[in-house]
C-alpha cells in the first residue's frame, strides 16, 4: 500500500458532518457496506447514480492499495410501501400485478439490476447477500435486542423501543435532529397501532394468512422489518464495527438512523466509522424516484425512447456525466448536459489514441509528475471526481500540444502520462472505451472493419447508394465514418 497516498485521503463523514482523514480500523483491510436495491422493479437512473458513485469510491480505495471487502445487499423481502411499517408488501403487490411468484419477481429484477450495472462498467461487490438468505441472522439479532431491553413483542410483531434507546443514545445523531424535530412528520398512533411510541419501528412483522413470504420465528410466522436486514448482514460479513457504510441521502433519516440504533442496542457499539451518502439525481429539480414517475430506465436512456429525451446516450456518456459532478452534490438531468458529457467523453477517448502515437523527445517541457500528484489530490479530497476530470483535461491539452510539436515529453514522462491517463480514466473513473469490445474479444473492431470494407467495395463500384446508406445509418446510431487518405476511420 502506498502510505503517502493513504495518509492524504479525506472522507466526508455524515456522522461528524466534516471531512475526516481516512483511517481504516484494520489497515490495509477496509470493510464497506452499501445498501443495495429493492428488487421489486427496474432500477432507474437515480439508483444507478448511487451505485456508480460507490463503484468509483471502491475503485479508488483499490487503487490506493486497500484490500476492500465490499458488501452490497439485495433487498428481496420485508419492504412495505410506507416508511412507517404500513402498506402492502412491495414484492407481493408486484407479484400479483405480474402474475408471478414473489421469488420470480426477485430473480427478474436482480438479473436486470446486474445487467444495467455491468453496462455501466461497475465492479461487482465481493459479497451480495440477500435479506431472504439471512432470516436466521435477523431473528438472532432481534432476540438479542429484546433480551437487552430495547425491543418489545406485541401480538406476534416486534418493535424497537426508540424512547428507551433515546434516553441513553442520540437517536437523531445521523441527521443532527433533536427528538422533537424527529416527531415532526410522524403521525399520532391510531387506535389500531400496536407501537408504544410514534418513532418505534418494526423489527419483525406478524404475517397475515395470505402473506406470500413468511417464516417461522419465536414470535410466530412473520417477516423481518426492512432495517434489520442491513444490520444483520453487515455484522455477519464485516464485523460488529467496520469502516464505511453508504447509501443514498434519502436513507439517512430512517433506514440508516434505525440501523445505527439496532446495532448499538444489539452489540453495544455503532456499526460504521464513516457514513457516506450520495446526493440525489433530479429531473427539473425533482428527485428521480420510482414513485414520482420521473425515473428514466437505463434502457430508455440508451435508446432515447422517452418523451423527455432528445436522443439516446451511451452508457459511458452517462457515466462520464455522473463523474462530472461530486457525489455529494445534486445532479440535475438535462439533454444539454448529457450532450456536453458525450463530447467530453469522446474528446478524452480521442486524446488516448493521439497519446498512443506520440514519440518521446530527449527532454520534457511539461511537468507530468506534478499532474499525477494533482490527480491524486483531487481524489484524496473526498473523491472529487469533477476536479479529477479537469486535471485529466490538462492532460489532454498536454497531449495535443506535444502532438502539435509545441511541447515535448521525455520517454519516461511519456510512459508516466500514458500510465496516469489510463489509470485514472479506466481504473478509477471506471470508464470504458466504447469503440472497443467490452470483453476484449475485438468483435466491435472486427465488425467495423467488415462494414468499412463493404463500403470501400461499394465506392470502388461507384455504388454511391450503398456507400451513403452505410455512412448515414451508422451515423444515426452514433458511429461516424470519416474518409481519410489511408482508408476510412470511425469513431463513436
Ligand atoms: P431503492 O431500490 O429504492 O432502495 O434504492 C436503491 C439506492 O438508490 C438507495 O441507496 C437510494 O438511496 C438510491 N437512490 C434512490 N433514488 C435516488 C436518486 N434519485 N438519486 C440518487 N440515488 C437514489
Ligand atoms: Zn440498508
Amino acid at each position: 500500500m502506498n502510505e503517502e497516498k493513504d495518509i492524504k485521503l479525506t472522507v466526508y463523514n455524515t456522522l461528524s458532518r466534516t471531512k475526516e482523514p481516512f483511517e481504516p480500523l484494520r489497515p490495509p483491510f477496509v470493510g464497506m457496506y452499501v445498501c443495495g436495491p429493492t428488487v421489486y422493479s427496474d432500477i432507474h437512473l437515480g439508483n444507478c447514480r448511487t451505485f456508480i458513485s460507490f463503484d468509483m469510491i471502491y475503485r479508488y480505495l483499490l487503487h490506493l492499495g486497500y484490500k476492500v471487502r465490499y458488501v452490497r445487499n439485495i433487498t428481496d423481502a420485508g419492504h412495505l410501501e410506507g416508511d412507517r411499517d404500513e402498506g402492502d408488501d412491495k414484492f407481493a403487490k408486484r407479484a400479483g400485478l405480474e402474475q408471478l411468484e414473489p421469488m420470480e419477481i426477485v430473480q427478474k429484477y436482480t438479473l436486470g439490476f446486474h445487467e444495467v450495472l455491468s453496462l455501466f462498467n461497475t465492479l461487482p461487490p465481493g459479497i451480495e447477500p440477500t435479506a431472504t438468505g439471512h432470516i436466521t441472522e435477523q431473528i438472532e439479532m432481534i432476540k438479542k435486542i429484546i433480551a437487552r431491553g430495547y425491543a418489545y413483542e406485541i401480538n406476534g410483531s416486534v418493535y424497537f423501543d426508540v424512547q428507551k434507546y433515546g434516553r441513553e443514545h442520540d437517536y437523531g445523531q445521523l441527521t443532527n435532529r433533536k427528538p422533537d424535530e424527529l416527531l415532526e412528520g410522524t403521525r399520532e398512533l391510531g387506535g389500531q397501532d400496536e407501537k408504544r411510541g410514534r418513532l418505534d419501528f418494526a423489527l419483525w412483522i406478524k404475517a397475515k394468512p395470505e402473506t406470500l413470504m413468511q417464516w417461522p420465528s419465536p414470535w410466530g410466522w412473520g417477516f423481518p422489518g426492512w432495517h434489520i436486514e442491513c444490520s444483520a448482514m453487515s455484522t455477519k460479513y464485516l464485523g460488529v464495527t467496520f469502516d464505511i457504510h453508504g447509501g443514498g441521502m434519502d436513507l439517512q433519516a430512517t433506514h440508516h438512523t434505525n440501523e445505527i440504533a439496532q446495532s448499538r442496542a444489539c452489540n453495544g457499539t455503532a456499526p460504521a466509522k464513516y457514513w457516506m451518502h450520495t446526493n440525489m439525481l433530479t429531473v427539473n429539480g425533482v428527485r428521480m424516484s420510482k414513485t414520482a414517475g420521473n425515473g428514466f430506465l437505463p434502457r430508455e436512456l440508451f435508446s432515447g425512447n422517452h418523451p423527455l429525451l432528445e436522443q439516446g446516450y451511451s452508457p459511458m456518456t452517462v457515466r462520464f456525466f455522473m463523474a462530472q459532478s461530486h457525489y455529494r452534490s445534486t445532479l440535475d438531468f438535462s439533454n444539454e448536459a448529457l450532450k456536453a458529457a458525450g463530447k467530453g467523453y469522446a474528446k478524452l477517448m480521442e486524446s488516448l489514441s493521439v497519446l498512443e502515437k506520440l514519440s518521446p523527445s530527449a527532454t520534457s517541457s511539461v511537468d507530468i509528475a506534478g499532474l499525477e500528484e494533482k490527480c491524486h489530490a483531487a481524489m484524496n479530497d473526498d473523491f472529487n471526481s469533477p476536479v479529477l476530470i479537469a486535471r485529466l483535461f490538462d492532460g489532454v491539452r498536454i497531449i495535443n500540444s506535444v502532438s502539435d510539436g509545441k511541447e515535448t515529453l521525455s520517454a519516461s514522462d511519456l510512459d508516466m502520462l500514458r500510465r496516469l491517463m489510463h489509470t485514472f480514466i479506466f481504473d478509477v473513473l471506471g470508464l470504458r472505451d466504447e469503440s472497443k469490445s467490452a470483453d476484449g474479444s475485438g468483435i466491435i473492431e472486427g465488425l467495423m472493419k467488415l462494414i468499412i470494407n463493404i463500403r470501400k467495395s461499394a465506392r470502388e463500384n461507384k455504388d454511391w447508394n450503398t456507400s451513403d446508406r452505410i455512412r448515414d445509418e451508422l451515423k444515426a446510431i452514433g458511429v461516424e465514418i470519416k474518409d481519410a487518405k489511408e482508408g476510412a476511420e470511425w469513431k463513436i
Side-chain angles (χ1 to χ4, degrees):
M1 185 181 18
N2 186 330
E3 289 296 328
E4 219 180 300
K5 289 174 199 162
D6 175 23
I7 291 164
K8 286 191 208 149
L9 176 62
T10 57
V11 170
Y12 182 87
N13 191 348
T14 311
L15 268 183
S16 63
R17 285 168 284 284
T18 52
K19 270 187 222 170
E20 296 176 14
F22 184 62
E23 285 158 1
L25 298 163
R26 297 167 279 267
F29 300 101
V30 170
M32 176 161 100
Y33 187 93
V34 172
C35 290
T38 308
V39 286
Y40 73 102
S41 65
D42 285 313
I43 63 162
H44 57 67
L45 201 63
N47 304 130
C48 295
R49 182 187 188 200
T50 287
F51 299 125
I52 291 172
S53 297
F54 280 104
D55 181 61
M56 191 189 60
I57 289 167
Y58 177 43
R59 285 168 174 275
Y60 191 60
L61 292 172
L62 293 176
H63 167 73
L64 291 183
Y66 290 113
K67 311 228 171 309
V68 188
R69 179 175 289 173
Y70 176 19
V71 183
R72 188 184 63 210
N73 69 299
I74 295 274
T75 295
D76 61 350
H79 209 158
L80 299 184
E81 283 188 312
D83 247 7
R84 311 280 324 152
D85 306 318
E86 77 278 348
D88 289 335
D89 177 297
K90 287 178 171 174
F91 295 95
K93 190 168 176 186
R94 192 74 184 209
L97 285 173
E98 295 197 26
Q99 306 249 304
L100 292 171
E101 276 291 311
M103 279 319 256
E104 284 180 299
I105 294 290
V106 166
Q107 177 74 352
K108 174 174 168 184
Y109 293 109
T110 302
L111 289 176
F113 168 65
H114 287 157
E115 200 181 311
V116 165
L117 284 201
S118 115
L119 282 172
F120 282 125
N121 203 33
T122 63
L123 300 172
I127 306 177
E128 199 172 42
T130 60
T132 55
H134 295 77
I135 299 292
T136 316
E137 287 82 352
Q138 295 178 72
I139 290 175
E140 286 307 307
M141 197 160 187
I142 298 170
K143 275 163 60 181
K144 247 184 172 175
I145 298 173
I146 297 176
R148 288 172 181 244
Y150 292 96
Y152 52 91
E153 191 234 311
I154 291 185
N155 297 330
S157 290
V158 181
Y159 298 100
F160 190 90
D161 187 341
V162 175
Q163 254 177 338
K164 171 165 165 91
Y165 176 85
R167 282 194 288 274
E168 295 155 27
H169 303 281
D170 180 2
Y171 176 69
Q173 184 188 19
L174 194 62
T175 45
N176 199 19
R177 283 198 268 182
K178 307 265 171 300
D180 283 354
E181 295 172 73
L182 288 164
L183 282 171
E184 278 169 31
T186 63
R187 52 178 176 69
E188 296 290 340
L189 290 179
Q192 305 289 317
D193 223 314
E194 307 169 325
K195 293 178 189 173
R196 288 183 195 156
R198 270 157 69 184
L199 293 172
D200 293 1
F201 56 91
L203 298 174
W204 187 262
I205 301 167
K206 181 188 167 72
K208 297 186 184 117
E210 68 274 17
T211 304
L212 292 174
M213 291 162 101
Q214 48 175 297
W215 294 265
S217 80
W219 319 285
W221 284 81
F223 55 95
W226 169 32
H227 317 297
I228 193 73
E229 67 172 272
C230 288
S231 294
M233 295 190 281
S234 62
T235 307
K236 172 159 178 162
Y237 296 109
L238 298 173
V240 166
T241 50
F242 53 93
D243 299 294
I244 298 174
H245 193 313
M249 265 182 191
D250 56 319
L251 300 182
Q252 283 172 4
T254 309
H255 185 54
H256 290 166
T257 290
N258 291 346
E259 265 192 62
I260 293 175
Q262 290 166 162
S263 289
R264 271 230 179 92
C266 179
N267 304 321
T269 169
K273 185 169 176 186
Y274 305 94
W275 282 84
M276 297 183 69
H277 291 98
T278 52
N279 212 324
M280 297 290 108
L281 181 72
T282 57
V283 186
N284 298 323
V286 178
R287 184 191 140 192
M288 186 179 276
S289 74
K290 283 168 193 164
T291 37
N294 61 357
F296 301 121
L297 301 184
R299 67 166 172 271
E300 291 167 335
L301 196 75
F302 304 149
S303 66
N305 195 4
H306 188 281
L308 284 170
L309 296 172
E310 289 170 14
Q311 61 172 76
Y313 302 98
S314 77
M316 287 305 108
T317 294
V318 180
R319 186 158 180 145
F320 186 82
F321 161 71
M322 292 189 180
Q324 275 180 315
S325 81
H326 188 244
Y327 75 89
R328 281 192 294 115
S329 314
T330 50
L331 172 61
D332 198 51
F333 172 90
S334 78
N335 282 285
E336 290 65 40
L338 269 158
K339 282 182 205 164
K343 284 192 187 135
Y345 165 72
K347 204 167 157 194
L348 209 51
M349 292 304 115
E350 272 168 48
S351 78
L352 294 182
S353 319
V354 179
L355 180 58
E356 282 321 298
K357 292 178 201 140
L358 293 185
S359 314
S361 303
T363 56
S364 289
S365 62
V366 276
D367 176 14
I368 303 302
L371 179 64
E372 182 163 38
E373 218 169 88
K374 285 181 191 160
C375 290
H376 276 119
M379 287 304 281
N380 282 343
D381 181 15
D382 191 28
F383 309 94
N384 201 326
S385 55
V387 173
L388 170 64
I389 289 177
R391 296 293 76 84
L392 292 172
F393 276 99
D394 291 344
V396 171
R397 272 187 289 279
I398 293 173
I399 292 167
N400 291 335
S401 299
V402 174
S403 171
D404 294 345
K406 292 180 192 141
E407 304 278 3
T408 58
L409 284 173
S410 67
S412 64
D413 276 349
L414 183 56
D415 271 358
M416 194 193 288
L417 183 60
R418 284 187 179 134
R419 187 171 37 83
L420 103 84
M421 293 298 281
H422 279 92
T423 302
F424 281 98
I425 293 172
F426 299 125
D427 301 350
V428 174
L429 289 179
L431 294 169
R432 229 179 356 92
D433 185 347
E434 286 179 328
S435 65
K436 301 211 165 79
S437 308
D439 57 0
S441 63
I443 289 179
I444 293 184
E445 297 87 328
L447 286 174
M448 282 309 299
K449 205 167 162 192
L450 176 71
I451 293 171
I452 284 173
N453 281 339
I454 293 173
R455 183 163 172 267
K456 191 169 162 232
S457 312
R459 285 166 75 87
E460 279 163 6
N461 295 331
K462 299 202 172 7
D463 177 1
W464 308 118
N465 267 347
T466 305
S467 145
D468 290 352
R469 188 173 154 209
I470 290 175
R471 189 196 55 209
D472 295 346
E473 291 194 8
L474 283 174
K475 192 161 182 220
I477 57 165
V479 181
E480 195 183 334
I481 292 198
K482 265 200 205 134
D483 294 306
K485 255 188 264 144
E486 315 78 49
E489 284 182 354
W490 63 278
K491 64 174 188 182
I492 293 182

